[in-house]
């Protein structure tokens, strides 16, 4: 199961392909690099920037990109989450709330307070074991 609705391993248009190729070209350049020229920072289209961030990561469909959550109303989200916690009769109901509502910032919030020694954050939803 993937974290994202979209498959970030597939290019949807030529603009995404060109931006990703430009990103790779910038990464391969020798010497000091100016982050302003990287498409993941400088592209005019926000969706293309998002695509490049995901595509360049080790697990594109499970990458947790925190800038996607800047527009959320965290006060409202925290109140909603608190309601679920107090009303839930089991942990499964809380897990379902996070999974079905795609509230990935809740388990991902641990990355905001702790330094795990790496730069990217990935979440992998629970997997089925066997038949």
């Amino acid at each position: 199961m993937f974290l994202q609705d979209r498959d970030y391993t597939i290019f949807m248009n030529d603009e995404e392909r060109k931006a990703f190729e430009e990103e790779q070209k910038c990464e391969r350049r020798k010497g000091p690099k100016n982050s302003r020229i990287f498409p993941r920072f400088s592209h005019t289209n926000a969706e293309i920037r998002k695509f490049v961030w995901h595509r360049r990561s080790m697990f594109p469909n499970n990458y947790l990109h925190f800038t996607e959550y800047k527009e959320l109303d965290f006060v409202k989200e925290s109140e909603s989450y608190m309601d679920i916690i107090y009303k839930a009769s089991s942990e499964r109901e809380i897990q379902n709330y996070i999974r079905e509502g795609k509230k990935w910032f809740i388990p991902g919030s641990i990355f905001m307070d702790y330094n795990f020694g790496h730069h990217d954050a990935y979440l992998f939803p629970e997997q089925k074991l066997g038949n």
Side-chain angles (χ1 to χ4, degrees):
M1 180 177 174
F2 293 136
L3 196 67
Q4 310 297 332
D5 291 330
R6 178 186 169 183
D7 186 359
Y8 284 100
T9 61
I10 299 171
F11 297 108
M12 299 298 257
N13 55 45
D14 286 336
E15 192 176 1
E16 288 179 350
R17 183 181 309 280
K18 288 177 189 174
F20 185 68
E21 288 170 357
E22 181 67 27
E23 178 79 16
Q24 289 180 317
K25 191 168 82 173
C26 290
E27 286 178 354
R28 285 192 299 263
R29 265 192 10 212
K30 293 184 179 180
K33 296 173 177 75
N34 183 348
S35 63
R36 287 181 285 164
I37 63 171
F38 284 86
R40 69 179 182 255
F41 296 113
S42 64
H43 201 281
T44 56
N45 185 335
E47 286 299 313
I48 301 294
R49 287 193 307 268
K50 178 180 173 182
F51 172 80
V52 173
W53 271 105
H54 282 272
R55 178 67 192 252
R56 65 177 283 282
S57 69
M58 188 177 295
F59 303 102
N61 295 317
N62 296 88
Y63 178 63
L64 190 63
H65 189 42
F66 291 109
T67 59
E68 295 175 19
Y69 303 114
K70 284 185 177 179
E71 292 140 16
L72 289 177
D73 180 4
F74 284 108
V75 172
K76 180 182 169 191
E77 291 291 341
S78 65
E79 289 170 356
S80 174
Y81 185 50
M82 196 167 53
D83 288 343
I84 292 296
I85 288 175
Y86 288 120
K87 291 177 184 174
S89 59
S90 68
E91 181 182 346
R92 174 61 59 195
E93 291 178 35
I94 298 170
Q95 291 174 352
N96 289 340
Y97 169 78
I98 293 170
R99 187 182 64 248
E100 291 167 3
K102 299 198 182 292
K103 309 288 186 180
W104 305 123
F105 62 90
I106 295 171
S109 65
I110 193 169
F111 290 101
M112 304 302 275
D113 291 331
Y114 297 99
N115 182 2
F116 291 101
H118 50 75
H119 300 283
D120 292 340
Y122 302 98
L123 288 178
F124 295 89
E126 56 192 12
Q127 304 291 318
K128 292 182 181 179
L129 299 175
N131 292 331

